[in-house]
Amino acid sequence: MAEATTTEGQPALRRVMGPKLLLLFIIGDILGTGIYALVGQVAEEVGGAAWLPFLVAFAVAMVTAFSYLELVTKYPAAAGAALYTHKAFGIHFLTFMVTFVVMCSGITSASTASRAFAANLDAGFGLELGNGGILLIALGFMALVAAVNFRGVGESVKVNVVLTLVELSGLLLVILVGVFAIAGGGADWARVVAFDTPEDKGVFLAVTSATSLAFFAMVGFEDSVNMAEECHEPRRIFPKIMLTGLSITGVIYVLVAICSVALVPVGPLAASETPLVEVVRAGAPGIPADAVLPFISMFAVANSALINMLMASRLLYGMANQAVLPRPLARVHPFRRTPWVSIVFTTLISFGLIGYVSLGDDSDVVSALGGTTSLLLLAVFTIVNIAVLVLRRDRVDADHFRAPRGLPVVGALASFYLVLPFSGRDSIQYELAGLLLVLGLVLYGVTVLLNRRLGVKQTTLDPAKLDG
């Protein structure tokens, strides 16, 4: 049988994910770097009540998930936020920027994971390499992720299933250690309800600042809408699976946060790049679990990096395939049938982000990259929640999920507030987001010039084809 090709003669990307893997995909994409690496930074903002920002982030994510469910069951096609933006507003440039921002959020998320991976490897082997050594490991790890991505989607999905089970076991280990320690009287419950905010922030600002960071732990569910065309009966499947996946991860996060602050004082927890290792060490000092968790954490963050770089390279390929970005970015390897140029390009961007933040003097690398990811996605979520309201005047023949009245408004307002500087975000996050947006504008401008020179007509962006 002849291989499928695109209209440009390129071999089509191989599709292998079906609905049976959707729940694991959602859980695997949400779990990982955020809770493994950022629980200490969240606690630093609010003290022992670190569970509260995770709970608020879960609530914001759940509200936005209802909007995504209405749209994905109404328009069961790939491309997610780009498709909804295009249908709601019909502005080519806005659709492009939303798509590019989603792609960049995948890169910043993967970059966060790479730094967390390197820190856990350093802790697991007791290397004590320092910032320079951890930076080199992080860059090497991203190169390895690129190699797996180049190998193919099928291999990536299989690796995702294994890593999801491993990262879930790590968080369950933390919870079990916490339960046994608490039952044995080794916990300080007073810390769990104690607010200890920075001197320059009140309780509300501290909570919103921590929520802006904790929201990074909840992202991932939005990637699943890009798999709509790979699922049987998406109108029936998506609501149940997405809400189940979000609920499972939300409960796990709150339990992990409670166990963490109950067993480890906020200071040591915030100072560690591997906070959950400190939790296991404190809760179970007589067993070698603390020697195992860094390696479990490595698998967990590797999963986040793999899924996000897979998504980012596919979106870049899709935009280039429609002449919205330079055509060379759409090149597909003739044997592996993967978008190798897009994979290389997104990997180079991640190298730049990791190096830029790691070589700075004033910012925590993981919180800076993770906060930038949540900043970018919260901006997209604001638009998606508005798009739901705009598209309610668009009637479709098929039955579809409908978000409860008022929830999209709440989601839009909450997401927009968490984007603003008033929410207490670190300025480095706006700096990184600004650099990525400038890159997007440059690429867009270069593409327009090249298309004019080559006589390529690019009149509209078809979001439904962005995943190739």
Side-chain angles (χ1 to χ4, degrees), residues 209-230:
S209 177
T211 299
S212 298
L213 191 55
F215 194 84
F216 172 65
M218 292 307 306
V219 301
F221 69 89
E222 75 285 348
D223 288 341
S224 65
V225 299
N226 291 307
M227 308 308 297
E229 292 184 34
E230 276 69 66

Side-chain angles (χ1 to χ4, degrees), residues 57-254:
F58 166 73
V60 175
M62 182 63 80
V63 169
T64 300
F66 276 97
S67 294
Y68 269 98
L69 286 174
E70 177 169 333
L71 292 170
V72 74
T73 55
K74 193 174 183 179
Y75 311 107
L83 174 62
Y84 313 142
T85 302
H86 191 68
K87 282 187 171 293
F89 307 108
I91 302 173
H92 178 276
F93 181 70
L94 179 61
T95 304
F96 165 79
M97 289 307 298
V98 167
T99 309
F100 191 80
V101 166
V102 171
M103 183 204 75
C104 288
S105 73
I107 298 174
T108 54
S109 179
S111 300
T112 311
S114 72
R115 176 72 187 201
F117 177 92
N120 277 284
L121 187 146
D122 182 61
F125 287 104
L127 301 177
E128 299 183 0
L129 295 175
N131 186 56
I134 291 177
L135 170 60
L136 292 177
I137 294 174
L139 296 177
F141 169 72
M142 284 307 302
L144 179 61
V145 169
V148 176
N149 196 351
F150 171 75
R151 178 75 180 170
V153 176
E155 287 76 5
S156 299
V157 170
K158 293 173 185 176
V159 172
N160 168 54
V161 171
V162 175
L163 294 182
T164 296
L165 296 176
V166 172
E167 66 187 349
L168 184 58
S169 70
L171 295 177
L172 293 178
L173 171 64
V174 173
I175 293 172
L176 287 175
V177 167
V179 168
F180 280 112
I182 291 169
D188 184 355
W189 282 107
R191 280 201 300 263
V192 177
V193 293
F195 280 95
D196 184 13
T197 62
E199 294 181 359
D200 60 337
K201 295 180 181 178
V203 172
F204 179 78
L205 184 59
V207 170
T208 58
S209 177
T211 299
S212 298
L213 191 55
F215 194 84
F216 172 65
M218 292 307 306
V219 301
F221 69 89
E222 75 285 348
D223 288 341
S224 65
V225 299
N226 291 307
M227 308 308 297
E229 292 184 34
E230 276 69 66
C231 289
H232 299 296
E233 300 180 278
R235 289 186 169 93
R236 181 180 63 85
I237 291 172
F238 260 85
K240 180 180 178 180
I241 293 182
M242 183 182 286
L243 296 179
T244 299
L246 264 174
S247 298
I248 290 173
T249 54
V251 170
I252 291 174
Y253 283 171
V254 170

Side-chain angles (χ1 to χ4, degrees), residues 321-344:
N321 204 36
Q322 295 186 66
V324 182
L325 287 177
R327 284 285 191 182
L329 291 171
R331 288 179 182 168
V332 175
H333 194 272
F335 301 112
R336 298 311 314 168
R337 293 177 59 199
T338 50
W340 69 274
V341 177
S342 289
I343 291 171
V344 171

